Amino acid sequence: MSKIIRVRGTRDISGEEIALFREVERKARKVFYQFGYKEIVTPLIELKKLFERSIGEETDIVEKEMFIIKTKSDEQLALRPEGTASVVRAYVESSMYKKEPYSRFFYTGPMFRYERPQKGRLRQFHQIGAELLGVESPYSDAEVVKLAVSIIEECEVTNYRVEINSLGCRRCRLSYSSTLKKFLEKNFDNLCDDCRKRSRRNPLRALDCKNEACRRIYKSAPVLLENLCEECMKHFDGVQENLKVLGVSFVINPLIVRGLDYYTKTAFEVICDELGAQNAVAAGGRYDGLVSELGGGEIPGTGFAMGIERIIEITKLVVTQKREGVSIVPMSDKYLPFAVKLAMKLRRKNIRVVLDYRLGSLKSQLKRADRENVKWAIIIGEEELSSGKLTLRDMERGTQKSVTQDDLESLLTEKNGYC
Ligand code: HAM
């Protein structure tokens, strides 16, 4: 029979990599706790229209990259391509915003985008993200940047830079859009097909084009940052001041437009060049119109998300798996009932117990126990059972001694134990 292989753009994560993966999540949880963020778990599937309405119908994510599921009752669902829309949907749906608009959430989990897989770009990837709802102050924009940077530093990534921009409010974006539209029309013949469409439907999206020829043209495009209204400019100044207060170094990159339409005012990316072409390790910004777009009140929001696979690619964290627990080594199947009972007794004391039912010679069982990375092996044979004592072997040192069952439990639960 032919092998069934995994879906293109997905990965299996196990062994040392899963230990690192969980360590990154653990570090993030620690930082979220310190900043007062609470966890939220939302479904992996949502109504397709949630993403059309929040991310925007004319974005690449919605137009080309969603995994769509049609149910038997003809409902259109989508595997979530990101977390913000779901968090805001949950916040509005549960009417949380009426009782307490001020909320801080964090989440971790898989996201799905039907992109062309390449290094650092998967079709199923994992994000750690946070959303801060209900705060207009530029302090909140700075807080989420600091949050992202704190997690990145906890993960011992040092070679990164924070790039920020302001996309303005809906009003200043509208007037900028018509200026940009004129620029795109002037260069229409030299644009790629996608940008020609974008120039008519959503000119700002054109600036996100990856086509080299288009990118060259956009170097001389009018800059949104120079066309902000007074209030947006003041907000952007405030974000910069607060980032300085928080000790976050940053550069202004007026070319950041982001691939999602919900952003207003602040947009940021944390870049690490070591990652290669897909060099954003985290990204986010403000989305003041999203809550009302999804049926809630006029409530502002800011947030960010980072890709766990990208963090793992650049982290200097090393997770060493220390020896833990015990392997029970019965010398024949005659001793298995005793071994099984002993294993359960020790597990109830919260000791890690590995029992390998394949048995075999002492040498081969000890070899397997070593591969399990246990601290001890308990050897059970005729001599042990008749004397009422068990042989406890220190797997690191290779030393052995006889112990009673009562002594065994206290030795294994003691901090330094027999070893
Ligand atoms: P995003 O920029 O689309 O933003 O994704 C955030 C991060 O997810 C990226 O910087 C990258 O590290 C990772 N990522 C995205 N796509 C892939 C992929 N195909 N393969 C591997 N990693 C990927 C958002 O998702 C927004 N929801 C962020 C946000 C939260 N804005 C406000 N709140």
Side-chain angles (χ1 to χ4, degrees):
M1 285 253 240
S2 62
K3 268 196 237 164
I4 296 177
I5 56 165
R6 62 180 193 272
V7 171
R8 193 162 126 81
T10 65
R11 298 191 56 231
D12 302 307
I13 312 165
S14 62
E16 278 172 21
E17 199 186 359
I18 194 69
L20 200 53
F21 194 98
R22 296 295 174 221
E23 184 62 8
V24 168
E25 278 187 331
R26 204 182 62 77
K27 298 269 185 202
R29 281 171 192 277
K30 184 176 123 187
V31 175
F32 287 134
Y33 171 78
Q34 290 166 352
F35 279 73
Y37 283 68
K38 295 196 181 130
E39 185 164 12
I40 183 165
V41 177
T42 61
L44 267 59
I45 45 173
E46 296 274 5
L47 291 175
K48 178 178 167 236
K49 64 180 172 214
L50 169 68
F51 303 113
E52 288 170 344
R53 219 197 278 174
S54 53
I55 298 172
E57 295 201 54
E58 273 138 33
T59 56
D60 280 356
I61 296 182
V62 168
E63 263 188 352
K64 305 178 193 164
E65 296 170 4
M66 284 211 293
F67 281 89
I68 308 294
I69 304 163
K70 209 165 157 196
T71 65
K72 286 180 186 157
S73 54
D74 260 355
E75 227 176 6
Q76 296 252 24
L77 308 181
L79 292 182
R80 62 179 187 193
E82 58 108 48
T84 312
S86 302
V87 172
V88 174
R89 195 258 318 127
Y91 172 81
V92 172
E93 189 174 345
S94 64
S95 298
M96 263 180 244
Y97 69 100
K98 288 186 189 153
K99 284 174 252 138
E100 176 51 282
Y102 193 91
S103 300
R104 289 178 158 90
F105 297 108
F106 81 86
Y107 50 90
T108 85
M111 308 290 160
F112 307 85
R113 293 185 195 174
Y114 194 79
E115 294 188 87
R116 197 170 50 76
Q118 63 176 91
K119 186 174 172 289
R121 192 162 71 191
L122 292 155
R123 288 185 174 170
Q124 178 178 331
F125 58 98
H126 296 79
Q127 280 187 345
I128 292 173
E131 313 297 343
L132 167 48
L133 292 148
V135 196
E136 216 161 332
S137 159
Y139 265 108
S140 64
D141 309 55
E143 176 177 304
V144 294
V145 178
K146 179 70 179 176
L147 195 54
V149 163
S150 303
I151 296 171
I152 288 169
E153 290 196 337
E154 274 285 327
C155 293
E156 293 180 25
V157 172
T158 43
N159 194 8
Y160 68 86
R161 67 177 178 280
V162 175
E163 298 188 352
I164 62 167
N165 189 20
S166 175
L167 302 176
C169 61
R170 299 214 160 184
R171 259 176 299 115
C172 43
R173 261 235 299 274
L174 211 63
S175 79
Y176 172 72
S177 267
S178 65
T179 317
L180 184 62
K181 201 170 179 174
K182 283 183 201 135
F183 171 86
L184 296 174
E185 275 160 10
K186 230 169 52 196
N187 291 281
F188 193 81
D189 293 344
N190 300 318
L191 300 179
C192 71
D193 286 348
D194 276 347
C195 283
R196 286 179 183 180
K197 271 188 233 146
R198 288 168 185 144
S199 71
R200 295 199 180 103
R201 290 159 59 190
N202 190 349
L204 209 68
R205 282 270 68 78
L207 299 181
D208 210 21
C209 182
K210 305 286 176 289
N211 180 302
E212 269 311 312
C214 294
R215 291 187 81 84
R216 270 196 302 276
I217 295 170
Y218 301 148
K219 279 194 181 139
S220 56
V223 175
L224 176 51
L225 201 54
E226 289 162 10
N227 289 274
L228 294 183
C229 67
E230 204 177 316
E231 194 210 314
C232 287
M233 206 56 239
K234 198 167 147 226
H235 187 90
F236 193 49
D237 287 342
V239 174
Q240 293 176 59
E241 263 167 48
N242 297 329
L243 283 173
K244 285 178 195 152
V245 171
L246 287 166
V248 178
S249 317
F250 59 89
V251 290
I252 295 172
N253 178 358
L255 296 178
I256 295 178
V257 282
R258 310 284 298 120
L260 307 101
D261 273 354
Y262 51 61
Y263 290 110
T264 53
K265 299 183 180 165
T266 317
F268 74 93
E269 291 182 349
V270 185
I271 302 294
C272 179
D273 290 323
E274 265 172 68
L275 284 169
Q278 303 302 316
N279 62 1
V281 62
R286 175 168 285 277
Y287 46 84
D288 286 349
L290 186 56
V291 177
S292 73
E293 195 62 46
L294 296 180
E298 284 297 331
I299 292 169
T302 45
F304 82 93
M306 63 175 58
I308 303 186
E309 286 83 357
R310 294 195 189 171
I311 286 271
I312 285 181
E313 187 73 30
I314 51 178
T315 179
K316 304 276 183 309
L317 282 176
V318 182
V319 183
T320 44
Q321 282 171 320
K322 57 179 194 333
R323 286 184 179 272
E324 244 172 330
V326 13
S327 220
I328 299 184
V329 177
M331 291 317 297
S332 85
D333 55 7
K334 198 165 96 189
Y335 309 112
L336 263 176
F338 179 84
V340 171
K341 281 189 203 145
L342 177 63
M344 285 316 299
K345 205 167 160 194
L346 296 176
R347 285 171 186 147
R348 280 193 289 272
K349 300 270 173 195
N350 202 29
I351 296 167
R352 173 180 180 245
V353 185
V354 182
L355 188 49
D356 186 330
Y357 305 102
R358 287 172 294 177
L359 307 181
S361 70
L362 179 63
K363 197 173 159 200
S364 66
Q365 290 204 63
L366 287 178
K367 220 167 158 181
R368 279 187 242 137
D370 196 45
R371 266 188 256 132
E372 288 288 350
N373 213 20
V374 290
K375 206 164 173 187
W376 304 281
I378 300 169
I379 301 160
I380 306 168
E382 198 54 52
E383 209 184 300
E384 280 77 14
L385 283 200
S386 58
S387 70
K389 286 189 163 185
L390 304 167
T391 302
L392 185 64
R393 182 183 177 90
D394 180 323
M395 293 299 291
E396 212 157 55
R397 298 181 192 166
T399 52
Q400 293 186 179
K401 74 170 181 178
S402 277
V403 291
T404 64
Q405 267 199 61
D406 287 345
D407 286 347
L408 178 73
E409 277 178 38
S410 55
L411 281 169
L412 297 183
T413 45
E414 257 175 43
K415 202 155 191 258
N416 297 315
Y418 161 63
C419 301

